[in-house]
């Protein structure tokens, strides 16, 4: 029987209880997380929504360290979607200030932990202060070669795909490639994630079972794990649980 929220069947449940230390053999190389539920976390406590975002930021540092220790190669965190501009202005502003806040506190540690910071998303529309904080982190960590911490910031998958198609079209138009050269890997190379392998594992917190315009192309064959836990309550323990479930899945890619 499949549990609607976790995507796990009963045997996965049983397995996980006994074995919360993931095996080092089969750690997902790329984990993508839709960090959701900050607002509800705050509401439950009678706090303003932004208090949830602040708490959520504290969770990021623990999950980054833990991913690094586990040997994850890429951690993509969905931090702000192209649809999140619809939120009240003060909340948007608070969210746009978070990279600055997070990085001013965490950058020395990220450098020490050999983390490479990068972003995926439409950088141009970000406020100057957000760009500055992010650019500084990218520059300061560019010579590291450990975990890639990839923030999906002002990211929307459909617009990414449209931009990819336009870019392929201009290659054809300029005579650099022929229409026959347009393959899956060619389009992949024209997306914002061209230099990253597709996520092996997608995690979404807060009980929502949807993608919310996140990496629609890249997640074609990823394993999904959903949890009711709200992002500010998410911990390395939950990360390990998700990885254990992942390790008990069979990835068939259409084969047998
Ligand atoms: C996720 O938490 C953070 C962002 C989308 C930026 P939410 O703010 O969406 O929290 P809920 O879903 O309203 O609880
Ligand atoms: C998705 O969460 C975006 C991020 C986590 C950054 P939302 O809370 O914005 O998604 P919906 O609106 O519930 O689909
Ligand atoms: Mg939400």
């Amino acid at each position: 029987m499949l549990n609607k929220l976790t995507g796990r069947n009963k045997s996965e449940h049983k397995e996980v209880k006994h074995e919360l230390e993931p095996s080092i053999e089969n750690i997902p190389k790329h984990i993508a997380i839709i960090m959701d539920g900050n607002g509800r976390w705050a509401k439950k406590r009678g706090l303003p929504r932004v208090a949830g975002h602040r708490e959520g930021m504290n969770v990021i540092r623990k999950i980054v360290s833990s991913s690094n220790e586990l040997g994850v190669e890429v951690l993509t965190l969905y931090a702000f979607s192209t649809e999140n501009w619809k939120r009240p202005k003060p909340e948007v502003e608070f969210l746009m200030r978070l990279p600055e806040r997070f990085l001013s506190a965490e950058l020395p540690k990220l450098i020490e932990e050999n983390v490479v910071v990068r972003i995926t998303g439409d950088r141009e529309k970000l406020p100057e202060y957000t760009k500055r904080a992010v650019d500084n982190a990218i520059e300061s960590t560019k010579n590291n070669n450990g975990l890639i911490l990839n923030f999906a910031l002002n990211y929307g998958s459909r617009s990414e795909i449209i931009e990819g198609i336009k870019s392929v079209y201009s290659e054809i138009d300029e005579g650099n490639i022929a229409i026959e050269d347009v393959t899956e890997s060619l389009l992949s190379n024209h997306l914002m994630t061209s230099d990253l392998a597709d996520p092996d594992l997608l995690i979404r917190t807060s009980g929502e079972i949807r993608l919310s315009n996140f990496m629609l192309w890249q997640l074609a064959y990823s394993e999904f794990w959903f949890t009711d836990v709200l992002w500010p309550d998410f911990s390395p323990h939950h990360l390990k649980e998700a990885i254990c479930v992942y390790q008990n899945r069979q990835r068939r890619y259409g084969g047998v």
Side-chain angles (χ1 to χ4, degrees), residues 23 33 49 77-78 157 173 181 252:
S23 133
I33 307 183
R49 290 177 56 83
L77 300 176
Y78 202 8
S157 187
D173 201 40
D181 298 328
R252 282 190 289 273

Side-chain angles (χ1 to χ4, degrees), residues 34-40 49 53 84 87 204-206 208 210 212:
I34 303 177
M35 311 180 287
D36 199 9
N38 295 350
R40 279 163 282 168
R49 290 177 56 83
H53 298 316
N84 288 145
R87 295 186 178 202
R204 183 169 187 153
T205 59
S206 89
E208 307 297 354
R210 58 174 169 267
S212 304

Side-chain angles (χ1 to χ4, degrees), residues 11-12 15-16 19 26 243-250:
S11 62
E12 279 181 336
E15 209 59 51
V16 163
E19 187 205 341
N26 182 21
I243 295 176
C244 287
V245 169
Y246 168 86
Q247 293 184 332
N248 282 295
R249 298 263 180 93
Q250 251 197 333

Side-chain angles (χ1 to χ4, degrees), residues 35 38 50-64 77 94-95 97-106 151 231-232:
M35 311 180 287
N38 295 350
V50 295
H53 298 316
R54 193 181 303 117
E55 194 62 27
M57 186 184 81
N58 295 328
V59 172
I60 294 179
R61 59 175 67 102
K62 291 185 223 157
I63 297 305
V64 171
L77 300 176
F94 190 92
L95 288 166
R97 288 276 175 196
L98 278 184
E100 200 180 33
R101 252 192 218 226
F102 175 77
L103 292 164
S104 69
E106 291 302 305
F151 287 102
W231 178 252

Side-chain angles (χ1 to χ4, degrees), residues 97-246:
R97 288 276 175 196
L98 278 184
E100 200 180 33
R101 252 192 218 226
F102 175 77
L103 292 164
S104 69
E106 291 302 305
L107 193 54
K109 195 165 165 236
L110 294 173
I111 295 171
E112 193 189 305
E113 289 184 353
N114 199 22
V115 170
V116 182
V117 176
R118 56 168 281 168
I119 64 165
T120 294
D122 184 357
R123 186 186 165 285
E124 288 319 304
K125 294 196 184 77
L126 299 173
E128 281 308 318
Y129 54 83
T130 314
K131 281 187 203 164
R132 211 177 309 124
V134 164
D135 288 347
N136 176 45
I138 294 172
E139 180 61 27
S140 320
T141 60
K142 70 172 187 210
N143 294 322
N144 290 353
N145 58 9
L147 173 79
I148 296 172
L149 173 57
N150 179 31
F151 287 102
L153 195 57
N154 192 23
Y155 174 81
S157 187
R158 286 189 168 183
S159 91
E160 177 195 32
I161 292 169
I162 299 274
E163 290 310 311
I165 291 170
K166 285 186 193 165
S167 153
V168 168
Y169 179 81
S170 46
E171 295 263 0
I172 297 170
D173 201 40
E174 287 163 18
N176 299 333
I177 54 168
I179 191 98
E180 294 75 30
D181 298 328
V182 180
T183 57
E184 291 184 12
S185 75
L186 184 101
L187 184 55
S188 292
N189 287 336
H190 285 261
L191 299 180
M192 291 167 173
T193 51
S194 57
D195 53 336
L196 300 177
D198 290 340
D200 300 291
L201 172 62
L202 170 83
I203 296 173
R204 183 169 187 153
T205 59
S206 89
E208 307 297 354
I209 317 286
R210 58 174 169 267
L211 290 177
S212 304
N213 201 16
F214 186 55
M215 294 195 151
L216 304 178
W217 174 275
Q218 297 87 339
L219 292 170
Y221 260 114
S222 309
E223 295 296 327
F224 289 12
W225 187 76
F226 297 100
T227 175
D228 277 342
V229 173
L230 303 173
W231 178 252
D233 292 325
F234 194 81
S235 71
H237 168 88
H238 298 110
L239 178 71
K240 287 181 182 170
E241 185 181 348
I243 295 176
C244 287
V245 169
Y246 168 86

